[in-house]
Amino acid sequence: MTGDVSHAQAPPDKARVAQELVARLDQALLKADGLVKANLILIKKTGDSWTWDMSIFRKGEDSLSLFESKGRGLEYKILFKEDGELIFAFNALSRKIFKKNDEEKYENHLNTGFSFVDLAGTSYQANYNPIVQSDLDIAGKKMKRVALRPIVPYFYSKLILLLEPDTLRPTRLDFHDKDGVLYKTMNIKYGPVKVKAKQKVTKEDIVSRLEMLDLNTGAISVLEYTEVDRDVKPDPSLFELDNLNRL
């Protein structure tokens, strides 16, 4: 009987190191309590582009994302409960609420490369098992590489995380579909972002852009963070399902 090496258990020390590298991904991605302002940009292969202004309210395990465009105003609200375990989408144009279950969480939102679960801020460390940790040479630069398997597989069959060797900053995440085919890749960019906290405004060098390339369509989706306001204390009513369809 032959075994699948991709499922082989790593030695305890390597498994611990791999877990720590995945934890760095969770730490890097922006999940600040308060209010985060961002732009979501879709650039199609034809050159056509669409932009939405995003407002992300977060308190603990709950968050609410609003998507507005210049032509239509508020188009969508997405309510994430229990760190993305529960996802409810409100289409402001049709005035309908949809609960996203299982594979529906992996549908692309607004035809961008970002799925609902990508936007949920769920913990990668809590939802994926690292199975391989190794070094990978890319254009003469050695990167840290971690392969991840979902604990409960719905659509993503495997993720590949790349980190800088010196700083251990996550720089890329590759997504493989349920057939094991690489179909999108997300580059993680860092830069100065305006942060308000304790009545002071500073600039912090944090994740400023997530660039998602859809290999099937050639489209690029960009999630660009512009401002973090930690002084905002979202009212608990924002995260109540009964209030989701209020405009």
Side-chain angles (χ1 to χ4, degrees):
M1 187 171 104
T2 58
D4 181 349
V5 293
S6 66
H7 290 275
Q9 292 297 315
D13 285 349
K14 283 196 172 184
R16 177 181 57 78
V17 171
Q19 284 282 3
E20 290 172 357
L21 294 177
V22 178
R24 285 181 175 270
L25 177 62
D26 281 336
Q27 292 161 9
L29 295 177
L30 194 49
K31 291 179 277 194
D33 273 17
L35 171 62
V36 175
K37 292 282 191 179
N39 296 315
L40 178 61
I41 306 160
L42 170 62
I43 306 165
K44 292 205 168 181
K45 198 174 181 179
T46 58
D48 295 330
S49 65
W50 290 263
T51 300
W52 294 268
D53 293 328
M54 278 184 70
S55 299
I56 307 162
F57 296 90
R58 180 179 290 277
K59 188 172 185 180
E61 294 186 343
D62 297 342
S63 68
L64 177 70
S65 294
L66 278 61
F67 300 81
E68 299 178 77
S69 64
K70 286 185 172 61
R72 295 183 169 183
L74 178 66
E75 287 191 43
Y76 254 95
K77 292 183 184 180
I78 309 178
L79 176 63
F80 301 102
K81 304 282 287 182
E82 299 176 19
D83 263 343
E85 286 297 315
L86 300 173
I87 300 178
F88 301 92
F90 170 62
N91 185 326
L93 304 179
S94 67
R95 302 297 301 272
K96 291 181 179 178
I97 295 176
F98 303 90
K99 183 180 180 182
K100 298 298 179 178
N101 294 310
D102 302 338
E103 286 197 15
E104 293 174 339
K105 295 179 180 180
Y106 297 84
E107 295 171 350
N108 289 344
H109 178 52
L110 292 170
N111 294 315
T112 69
F114 292 95
S115 70
F116 289 94
V117 77
D118 294 339
L119 297 169
T122 53
S123 166
Y124 286 96
Q125 190 179 15
N127 290 282
Y128 290 84
N129 284 322
I131 53 171
V132 179
Q133 187 268 310
S134 59
D135 291 336
L136 181 68
D137 192 81
I138 298 180
K141 185 176 181 181
K142 194 167 282 188
M143 305 291 287
K144 292 289 183 186
R145 173 185 180 275
V146 183
L148 306 168
R149 293 274 187 202
I151 294 173
V152 181
Y154 285 122
F155 188 80
Y156 298 152
S157 63
K158 181 175 68 174
L159 305 182
I160 300 292
L161 170 64
L162 297 182
L163 307 96
E164 293 176 347
D166 302 324
T167 63
L168 297 181
R169 291 205 307 189
T171 60
R172 197 174 90 194
L173 193 61
D174 293 337
F175 298 80
H176 296 72
D177 64 19
K178 54 187 170 186
D179 296 320
V181 177
L182 172 65
Y183 79 105
K184 66 181 185 181
T185 186
M186 183 173 75
N187 290 300
I188 304 168
K189 306 289 188 179
Y190 297 82
V193 177
K194 184 166 71 171
V195 177
K196 294 181 180 179
K198 297 180 180 177
Q199 310 286 314
K200 293 181 180 178
V201 178
T202 58
K203 289 214 168 176
E204 294 184 14
D205 189 54
I206 55 179
V207 170
S208 57
R209 288 169 65 94
L210 301 176
E211 300 174 356
M212 189 78 83
L213 170 61
D214 186 325
L215 299 174
N216 292 328
T217 65
I220 298 172
S221 303
V222 179
L223 181 54
E224 181 180 50
Y225 298 108
T226 57
E227 182 180 323
V228 180
D229 193 338
R230 300 181 190 274
D231 287 338
V232 171
K233 306 298 180 188
D235 191 279
S237 63
L238 272 180
F239 311 111
E240 293 177 3
L241 180 59
D242 289 345
N243 293 330
L244 188 58
N245 60 356
R246 292 188 178 179
L247 298 175

